[in-house]
Amino acid sequence: ELLVLEPERLEIVARHILPERSIARLSLHDHTVTVVGDHSLFRLRWEPESAALTPASDPVLYRRIPGQGYAWDAVLDAGASWMLDNGNGTTAFDGTLEDKGEATAPLHLVRIPDDGTAPQYVEVDGRDGGIIVNPPSVDPERQIVVAFDSGHRTLAAFDFDSERINPLPRWRRDQSHAPHIVRYGATGELVTFDTRKNATGSIQERCVVLDIETGAELGAVDTASAMQTMAFPSPGWNCDIYVPGFTALSRVSVES
């Protein structure tokens, strides 16, 4: 059930029953709310004047591939909803998401165009058992989308235009990234992460800044977290970023 709450008293002012469950965060553009269900994507229109919450379009079935898992959050940009599938298996998290995926199909970057045309799929790693808990990063100006597979240590960028996604990656890295990617549009810098287990089984996480066009590493530093970060890094006020790990909060900054 999708609810609209009055912000001060938290009274329910509108509600709409959805036919599917959802684990994804909600996405909003103008007054249209996008909900990623466990099989379909739903768009609902919020009309504040009449306090009405109604379907804005027909649901779009995105699970069309045998063995495919459900998707998490949708990014709304460049005329489409973008997401990553195969999000099931996270309850097996043991400090990292490596080898925790349950899907028997490869993990996909999924684009659902706003114009009602069919969903598009690109394999991010190509192996079964991929897993994610967060969405891709879309750069509409450079027409590059960055996707990842946390189960297989794969981070990859793909070119796209108004009609298709190039299935051949622009670049690909061996990197175990899990949280939201922070993108600085003016510079093309991406703040990403990499988690590795050492010989003793303990975990070390790095914050890694990449160039979105080449995938080149521009800088890296260890965080204080003893587990893989899966939440939302937050940009600071002076070329810095805050990393909310499960065991520690880290502040990463750039020194000139």
Side-chain angles (χ1 to χ4, degrees), residues 184 189 191 209 218-219 238-241 251-256:
Y184 291 92
E189 294 167 321
V191 180
V209 180
L218 304 178
N238 187 25
C239 209
D240 58 352
I241 194 163
R251 175 178 175 269
V252 177
S253 62
V254 176
E255 295 181 358
S256 58

Side-chain angles (χ1 to χ4, degrees), residues 2 12 29 53 59 69 99 110 131 186 208 218 226 228 230 245-246 250:
L2 185 65
I12 298 174
H29 179 66
L53 189 62
D99 302 319
V110 184
I131 190 171
V208 185
L218 304 178
Q228 185 169 46
M230 295 199 294
F246 283 137
S250 304

